[in-house]
């Protein structure tokens, strides 16, 4: 089982080389990432976007563009749509977000006629390598689904389980995060948590073990759970952290990134190919991490 971001990259380097299409590649951090990843032998890249701007930025950062295929597409909407076409046609196996607004990119990705939607619930899972912990945590959904209902949460969990399995964890523990570890009708997330646990016990939600409702401490700390007198054998052992909604998930994700200096890699599930959704503010190393995760997901066949 992989336990660090470095181990994800190391594993990706042993897998068949994939081609990554970068949507709106006219961004210095994106170009630094693809240059380093290509030099490492991690992947090959097709750079889609305003080629004049790509060449100008490449000159500024002294990047030789000779190893890369360039596809000219002006404007965010055109760049996103063209990149989706490149991936849908099979010329690339993975899509990496460059300097393009997420809403623009996903309008193209989810286009029913020309996009990458495969009919499943589309959700985002981010893998977190948090200093001081000897395991990877998966957090979902921190980027896409604003207010998931119970059935959507079930599908979000199923998507995250596929990521966990690609990382070598065949039986991940899902911790359903809430305001409290007690079921309270006034706190809908706790009611959903109890329902997800029952779905898991009844066989409706398989491939994992589900515990909750958990406050964060009870999800990740066995000591905290014991101190509170919890007898739940899954308490403190979560591998996948299911956020109650997008606001909570996104704030938690960025708190880990900026306060705890966590390393991350995120992937969109429910599409025909891995879509790597990064913030435009993310470093080039975070983008390299995402490419490595995308290679693992492509090799696992989870997007087929």
């Amino acid at each position: 089982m992989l336990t660090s971001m470095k181990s994800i990259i190391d594993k990706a380097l042993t897998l068949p080389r994939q081609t990554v299409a970068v949507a709106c590649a006219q961004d210095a951090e994106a170009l630094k990432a693809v240059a380093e990843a290509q030099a490492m032998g991690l992947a090959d890249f097709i750079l889609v976007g305003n080629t004049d701007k790509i060449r100008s930025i490449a000159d500024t950062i002294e990047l030789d563009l000779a190893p890369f295929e360039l596809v000219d597409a002006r404007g965010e909407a055109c760049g996103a749509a063209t990149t989706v076409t490149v991936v849908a046609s099979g010329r690339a196996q993975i899509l990496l977000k460059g300097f393009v607004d997420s809403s623009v990119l996903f309008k193209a990705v989810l286009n029913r006629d020309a996009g990458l939607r495969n009919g499943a619930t589309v959700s985002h899972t981010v893998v977190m390598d948090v200093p001081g912990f000897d395991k990877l945590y998966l957090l979902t959904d921190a980027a896409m689904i604003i207010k998931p209902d119970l059935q959507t949460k079930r599908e979000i969990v199923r998507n995250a389980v596929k990521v966990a399995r690609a990382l070598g964890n065949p039986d991940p523990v899902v911790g359903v995060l809430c305001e409290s570890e007690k079921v309270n009708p006034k706190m809908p997330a706790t009611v959903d948590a109890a329902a997800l646990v029952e779905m898991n016990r009844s066989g409706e939600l398989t491939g994992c073990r589900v515990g909750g409702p958990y406050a964060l401490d009870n999800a990740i700390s066995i000591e905290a759970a014991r101190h509170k007198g919890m007898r739940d054998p899954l308490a403190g052992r979560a591998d996948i952290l299911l956020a109650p909604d997008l606001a909570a998930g996104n704030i938690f994700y960025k708190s880990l990134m900026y306060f705890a200096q966590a390393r991350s890699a995120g992937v969109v599930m429910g599409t025909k190919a891995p879509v790597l959704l990064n913030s435009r503010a993310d470093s080039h190393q975070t983008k390299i991490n995402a490419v490595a995760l995308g290679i693992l997901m492509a090799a696992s066949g989870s997007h087929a």
Side-chain angles (χ1 to χ4, degrees):
M1 185 165 62
L2 304 181
T3 58
S4 68
M5 203 58 61
K6 182 180 183 300
S7 67
I8 291 177
I9 294 173
D10 289 345
K11 177 65 175 179
L13 286 168
T14 70
L15 296 172
R17 191 153 166 161
Q18 306 285 337
T19 298
V20 180
V22 185
C24 300
Q26 57 270 15
D27 174 72
E29 289 300 314
L31 291 177
K32 289 176 185 177
V34 301
E36 186 170 338
Q38 179 113 350
M40 291 167 59
L42 191 60
D44 296 315
F45 293 87
I46 298 173
L47 308 180
V48 182
N50 186 319
T51 52
D52 290 340
K53 290 184 178 179
I54 292 172
R55 290 189 176 95
S56 176
I57 295 169
D59 287 343
T60 301
I61 64 175
E62 299 182 341
L63 168 63
D64 180 10
L65 290 174
F68 307 105
E69 178 183 348
L70 271 64
V71 177
D72 191 48
R74 305 298 171 106
E76 288 192 353
C78 181
T82 302
T83 309
V84 167
T85 299
V86 168
V87 176
S89 69
R91 289 170 59 195
Q93 294 75 49
I94 299 166
L95 190 154
L96 174 66
K97 177 189 171 187
F99 198 78
V100 55
D101 188 88
S102 295
S103 63
V104 175
L105 178 62
F106 273 89
K107 184 177 180 179
V109 168
L110 302 179
N111 182 293
R112 294 191 180 276
D113 297 322
L116 298 173
R117 181 190 285 272
N118 68 6
T121 296
V122 178
S123 64
H124 184 259
T125 298
V126 62
V127 181
M128 306 297 301
D129 184 349
V130 185
F133 291 81
D134 60 358
K135 64 186 288 184
L136 293 167
Y137 286 98
L138 279 63
L139 172 62
T140 189
D141 183 321
M144 293 197 66
I145 301 178
I146 299 172
K147 288 284 186 182
D149 60 18
L150 175 60
Q151 299 307 318
T152 304
K153 287 179 180 179
R154 179 191 63 190
E155 298 309 308
I156 291 172
V157 169
R158 286 174 172 165
N159 282 343
V161 167
K162 292 178 182 177
V163 181
R165 288 184 171 181
L167 298 177
N169 187 344
D171 187 28
V173 174
V174 179
V176 186
L177 299 183
C178 301
E179 310 93 318
S180 168
E181 68 274 9
K182 297 178 181 179
V183 177
N184 184 337
K186 294 182 179 180
M187 299 177 180
T190 66
V191 178
D192 284 354
L196 289 166
V197 170
E198 183 55 36
M199 286 180 182
N200 183 235
R201 290 174 178 169
S202 68
E204 183 181 348
L205 179 56
T206 60
C208 59
R209 290 172 288 161
V210 180
Y214 294 145
L216 177 61
D217 53 351
N218 305 324
I220 65 171
S221 170
I222 294 173
E223 291 75 14
R226 286 175 178 166
H227 188 69
K228 288 187 175 181
M230 297 179 68
R231 296 183 179 180
D232 181 348
L234 301 182
R237 303 179 187 276
D239 304 300
I240 298 170
L241 301 171
L242 176 66
D245 56 33
L246 180 63
N250 193 267
I251 292 168
F252 183 29
Y253 162 56
K254 290 182 178 175
S255 295
L256 290 173
M257 291 286 289
Y258 285 91
F259 286 130
Q261 303 300 307
R263 289 166 288 183
S264 72
V267 63
V268 174
M269 302 296 294
T271 50
K272 296 175 183 176
V275 175
L276 310 178
L277 183 64
N278 300 295
S279 167
R280 284 173 287 182
D282 283 343
S283 69
H284 75 281
Q285 183 59 55
T286 298
K287 292 176 171 63
I288 292 172
N289 297 342
V291 169
L293 178 62
I295 292 168
L296 264 63
M297 298 311 303
S300 74
S302 297
H303 288 77

